[in-house]
Amino acid sequence: MQFTGTDSYIATDDLKMAVNAAVTLERPLLVKGEPGTGKTELARQVSAALGLPMIEWHIKSTTKAQQGLYEYDAVSRLRDSQLGDARVNDVANYIKRGKLWQAFAAPGRVVLLIDEVDKADIEFPNDLLQELDRMEFHVYETGETVRAIHRPIVIITSNNEKELPDAFLRRCFFHYIRFPDIEILRRIVAVHHPQIKDALLTTALTQFYDIRDTPGLKKKPSTSEVLDWLKLLLAEDLTPEDLRRDGADALPRLHGALLKNEQDVHLFERLAFMARGKR
């Protein structure tokens, strides 16, 4: 079972190696990188390439590790007991399976995505150590032990918002998705916008990397944002000449697709003002 990429997802050799190493070692693959570099999409593409179903667990700041195992609805059981409902005699009626339980109980191997693990409380990764290591957990309300029928391929993403515990890191195979260089980005663009002319693409990508390299930029535009920007350029039928900027007009055309906060817009406005003052 080897991941070699897909027609719609350009994976570097290092990334393909990381996926296959994690599968061989039967360890979770921890993927870090800038937002918009394709971490979440990687799991979906691994699922498609290997022909395996996918289960997605998107983590929020309020998510608890227990929710990935199961949740016991004691309130509903109490209400039903007051109403004389016969369902109260079986506690299993009030247990909701979490994403890990669904993955462990699946009839075949699945890809389990634990997305943006660093959004949760710092204890969240530690609370999943044993379950991800042993691929089993105990349900105290019913006394049963849930064991994985087929060990899932676990892909965990992180945006580096907070440090993850060492004990958790030791149990993962790690890969950092670097921001693509211009040649890799050309290949990515070719998948999404095959009709774009080379002259326009060259001018646009040169400008895009210039923007990313601007000192003081708070949020660098990502891969997904440049794809949106190029889509707008094509929709507006702009030419390479339309994209060229001078000092008096430092903001890129249709900059709302690339600059996502007022500080960065003001930065480019200040650069334009400084350029006019030097004339």
Side-chain angles (χ1 to χ4, degrees), residues 9 31-43 157-159 177:
Y9 187 88
V31 184
K32 290 187 178 183
E34 291 181 29
T37 50
K39 300 183 298 296
T40 302
E41 187 60 24
L42 171 65
T157 72
S158 168
N159 286 329
I177 298 182

Side-chain angles (χ1 to χ4, degrees), residues 251-266:
L251 280 170
R253 294 288 295 269
L254 301 165
H255 63 269
L258 298 175
L259 305 177
K260 296 303 176 74
N261 60 66
E262 63 276 15
Q263 294 97 321
D264 289 342
V265 172
H266 292 159

Side-chain angles (χ1 to χ4, degrees), residues 27-30 132 156 167-174:
R27 289 188 177 275
L29 173 62
L30 174 61
L132 290 175
I156 304 171
F168 179 78
L169 295 175
R170 283 197 299 271
R171 288 165 169 81
C172 298
F173 190 93
F174 172 77

Side-chain angles (χ1 to χ4, degrees), residues 2-273:
Q2 290 285 307
F3 174 66
T4 58
T6 67
D7 292 339
S8 59
Y9 187 88
I10 304 299
T12 63
D13 290 340
D14 285 348
L15 180 55
K16 288 184 280 190
M17 181 277 294
V19 172
N20 292 322
V23 172
T24 299
L25 293 172
E26 296 187 330
R27 289 188 177 275
L29 173 62
L30 174 61
V31 184
K32 290 187 178 183
E34 291 181 29
T37 50
K39 300 183 298 296
T40 302
E41 187 60 24
L42 171 65
R44 295 172 181 147
Q45 295 298 324
V46 169
S47 168
L50 301 182
L52 300 177
M54 182 171 170
I55 295 175
E56 301 186 29
W57 186 15
H58 298 285
I59 308 304
K60 301 177 181 178
S61 60
T62 56
T63 303
K64 302 299 181 184
Q66 179 64 33
Q67 294 172 302
L69 308 180
Y70 67 92
E71 293 182 272
Y72 170 52
D73 191 350
V75 174
S76 291
R77 193 181 189 198
L78 175 61
R79 183 193 62 231
D80 288 349
S81 68
Q82 294 171 338
L83 297 174
D85 195 321
R87 295 175 71 248
V88 300
N89 297 319
D90 186 357
V91 68
N93 290 325
Y94 302 93
I95 290 179
K96 179 183 177 182
R97 295 185 178 189
K99 299 296 185 179
L100 263 71
W101 190 335
Q102 294 174 32
F104 289 2
R109 200 172 197 185
V110 302
V111 174
L112 172 63
L113 168 65
I114 304 177
D115 197 31
E116 298 189 326
V117 68
D118 52 330
K119 278 189 173 180
D121 184 85
I122 190 61
E123 292 304 318
F124 178 89
N126 278 335
D127 291 343
L128 287 178
L129 287 180
Q130 180 171 309
E131 289 75 14
L132 290 175
D133 210 19
R134 298 184 181 181
M135 286 289 155
E136 66 177 40
F137 62 89
H138 187 71
V139 183
Y140 295 97
E141 289 78 5
T142 63
E144 67 179 306
T145 297
V146 177
R147 294 185 179 88
I149 301 173
H150 302 277
R151 193 178 188 98
I153 296 173
V154 182
I155 297 178
I156 304 171
T157 72
S158 168
N159 286 329
N160 254 349
E161 292 184 6
K162 61 171 69 84
E163 290 295 323
L164 299 174
D166 288 345
F168 179 78
L169 295 175
R170 283 197 299 271
R171 288 165 169 81
C172 298
F173 190 93
F174 172 77
H175 182 76
Y176 184 85
I177 298 182
R178 294 179 176 84
F179 193 82
D181 61 31
I182 193 166
E183 292 307 316
I184 294 293
L185 192 51
R186 278 181 174 275
R187 292 170 56 192
I188 294 172
V189 171
V191 170
H192 296 271
H193 303 301
Q195 76 278 24
I196 193 167
K197 293 181 179 178
D198 188 66
L200 176 62
L201 179 59
T202 298
T203 302
L205 292 187
T206 299
Q207 188 172 125
F208 170 73
Y209 279 98
D210 285 345
I211 293 169
R212 275 186 58 88
D213 293 338
T214 300
L217 198 65
K218 183 176 180 180
K219 183 193 177 301
K220 295 182 177 182
S222 67
T223 308
S224 60
E225 287 158 348
V226 74
L227 292 174
D228 286 345
W229 186 51
L230 291 172
K231 184 176 181 179
L232 290 174
L233 299 184
L234 290 170
E236 294 292 327
D237 198 24
L238 298 182
T239 67
E241 290 71 26
D242 294 327
L243 298 186
R244 295 203 173 94
R245 300 175 295 164
D246 56 30
D249 187 20
L251 280 170
R253 294 288 295 269
L254 301 165
H255 63 269
L258 298 175
L259 305 177
K260 296 303 176 74
N261 60 66
E262 63 276 15
Q263 294 97 321
D264 289 342
V265 172
H266 292 159
L267 171 63
F268 279 90
E269 289 174 342
R270 287 197 301 273
L271 291 174
F273 178 78

